[in-house]
Amino acid sequence: MELLDLSARNRLLNVPRFSKSAKTIDIVDEKSSEIYRLLVTEGKAFTFLAGKPDRPKAGHDGSSPTDEEIDYSPVALAQPEDEEVDNRGVSARHSDTKLQTRMTPTGLQRRLLDLYHDARTLEEEQGVNILFLALGMLKWIDPNNKENIRQAPLILVPVRLERGAAGEKFRLRARPEDLTANLSLELYLDRIHKLALPRFEVGDDFDVSAYLDAVADAVATKEGWEVLADDMVLGFFSFAKFLMYRDLDPDLWPDGTKIIEQPKIRSLLSDGFETRDPLMSDDIAIDPHIAPAEMLHIVDSDSSQTLAIHDVRKGRDLVIQGPPGTGNRKQSQTLSGRPLPTERPCFSWPKKWPHSRS
């Protein structure tokens, strides 16, 4: 099975729009270039505006007791005073720091709260941020079914949601991390449609409109395809598998140090490992074999854990097997002396359990 999912299940290729179930928020009636300027270049914080009032509760007019999160009827977005333009010709409603949505106040607050808690949990557990504001969408048509119209994000801005207290408004800020293009979309277009997206080079003079125009030129030969420059979505987008795919691509490694030339990789896949002294049994008394001076550990450990640490210090390569659910990231860091990368195999164990080393 390939690491990359190039089907419509991949949110980087097919973003659910205006969905009541997907944890996304569609931003409407805004300009991508202005959002980028204010959010990224100037580092300003944005708040959110509901596009519809909450519906009345049951008992007033017989409507459903639950608030609709999204209403597809027209939204009264622009007000007369909002049509004032500055010296650049940009209207006031496009140069403020309020993100307009189609959601009701109740639905918007509920969705923001879900995104806020999920983003914090994912970052605490995995050590990575996957909350992005997508600027610009590529509307493309599935070649296997002309009726399937998809939308893929083009520019992904890493962001965070924050608020001071439970009653305060949520604010959206750009994170001090590099922006990224949609790498999965680049590979999909190259592999399936033989199209190359323009180079994505972010700098102080990065022009969002120019990049989106270049994407439109790159896909101009595709009938029905279109770049929706001012379509925006806030949601979760994960690059973990794509980055792993890139790490395993031999062409991306420097000459002389390619992954297939690494000694351990060659030993694992082709040459085999050299014969070494057998590991000490977990059942033996360890005192005659490991001097007390070599048992200075950061945390307490039992005999089986001490044997594993001792073997690692000697440069042995180990696979430690334990029952499901026994992973512990802090103990993994204790063993290696540094934080481990996310989504990588690691050594870990609880305080007491029989394990095997091989």
Side-chain angles (χ1 to χ4, degrees):
M1 182 180 296
E2 293 191 6
L3 281 174
L4 295 184
D5 181 3
L6 298 183
S7 71
R9 294 186 299 270
N10 186 345
R11 185 169 288 189
L12 289 165
L13 299 179
N14 180 34
V15 181
R17 303 299 307 277
F18 304 106
S19 171
K20 294 183 180 181
S21 57
K23 290 185 179 179
T24 58
I25 295 178
D26 282 84
I27 309 302
V28 298
D29 193 42
E30 302 287 357
K31 297 292 183 183
S32 291
S33 57
E34 284 300 295
I35 298 300
Y36 179 87
R37 178 181 68 85
L38 295 169
L39 183 67
V40 180
T41 305
E42 299 186 8
K44 293 186 177 180
F46 278 74
T47 55
F48 297 83
L49 288 178
K52 286 286 186 178
D54 287 327
R55 291 192 173 186
K57 303 295 183 181
H60 295 280
D61 62 357
S63 61
S64 171
T66 59
D67 287 299
E68 287 291 333
E69 291 190 353
I70 300 168
D71 191 336
Y72 292 97
S73 59
V75 179
L77 295 173
Q79 300 299 320
E81 62 272 16
D82 295 332
E83 295 301 335
E84 299 178 3
V85 298
D86 58 20
N87 55 6
R88 298 174 298 128
V90 179
S91 64
R93 74 178 189 274
H94 293 150
S95 58
D96 60 14
T97 56
K98 297 180 178 64
L99 297 173
Q100 178 72 51
T101 74
R102 292 184 182 273
M103 306 179 76
T104 66
T106 299
L108 176 60
Q109 186 69 10
R110 184 186 303 123
R111 189 69 60 86
L112 286 170
L113 193 61
D114 287 342
L115 288 172
Y116 173 74
H117 286 305
D118 287 353
R120 289 187 60 183
T121 300
L122 286 167
E123 187 163 5
E124 289 172 357
E125 292 184 351
Q126 299 184 14
V128 293
N129 171 65
I130 61 172
L131 182 65
F132 290 86
L133 178 63
L135 303 179
M137 294 283 166
L138 173 64
K139 185 178 76 172
W140 60 279
I141 299 173
D142 188 340
N144 298 319
N145 187 339
K146 301 297 183 181
E147 296 182 357
N148 288 339
I149 298 177
R150 316 294 190 186
Q151 293 190 22
L154 291 172
I155 302 174
L156 292 153
V157 180
V159 293
R160 68 173 179 268
L161 283 169
E162 58 184 34
R163 64 173 178 174
E168 294 185 6
K169 289 184 177 181
F170 282 101
R171 295 183 178 275
L172 187 76
R173 291 186 185 274
R175 297 172 65 102
E177 301 169 5
D178 292 337
L179 277 72
T180 181
N182 189 336
L183 304 177
S184 291
L185 178 63
E186 287 184 1
L187 181 66
Y188 171 79
L189 293 179
D190 177 64
R191 180 180 295 183
I192 306 299
H193 298 279
K194 308 304 178 185
L195 295 174
L197 289 181
R199 289 180 61 85
F200 187 80
E201 297 177 337
V202 178
D204 294 338
D205 58 348
F206 178 67
D207 189 330
V208 170
S209 298
Y211 175 77
L212 296 176
D213 288 343
V215 174
D217 291 340
V219 300
T221 58
K222 290 292 186 179
E223 183 180 357
W225 290 32
E226 180 184 1
V227 170
L228 308 174
D230 295 319
D231 277 31
M232 290 165 253
V233 174
L234 175 67
F236 295 119
F237 300 92
S238 177
F239 296 87
K241 290 186 177 180
F242 187 88
L243 295 177
M244 190 182 301
Y245 172 87
R246 293 285 299 271
D247 286 346
L248 295 174
D249 186 349
D251 294 336
L252 298 178
W253 287 63
D255 292 337
T257 61
K258 293 186 179 298
I259 186 172
I260 57 176
E261 298 171 359
Q262 302 301 310
K264 286 185 171 55
I265 298 296
R266 291 187 61 85
S267 297
L268 181 65
L269 299 180
S270 60
D271 300 342
F273 292 92
E274 63 181 22
T275 304
R276 304 188 65 173
D277 295 335
L279 298 173
M280 287 185 286
S281 170
D282 297 337
D283 299 327
I284 67 170
I286 64 175
D287 291 342
H289 301 278
I290 306 177
E294 298 180 15
M295 297 187 191
L296 298 177
H297 303 152
I298 298 174
V299 295
D300 293 338
S301 61
D302 63 20
S303 60
S304 61
Q305 295 167 353
T306 297
L307 284 173
I309 294 172
H310 181 69
D311 288 328
V312 170
R313 283 177 170 174
K314 292 170 60 178
R316 303 294 294 268
D317 299 309
L318 305 179
V319 175
I320 300 180
Q321 181 178 357
T326 59
N328 184 309
R329 185 174 180 82
K330 290 184 178 179
Q331 292 186 23
S332 303
Q333 294 176 7
T334 298
L335 183 62
S336 66
R338 58 181 174 82
L340 293 172
T342 58
E343 301 189 16
R344 295 289 194 273
C346 64
F347 301 108
S348 60
W349 51 74
K351 280 293 182 182
K352 299 283 184 180
W353 53 266
H355 70 278
S356 61
R357 297 169 295 132
S358 58

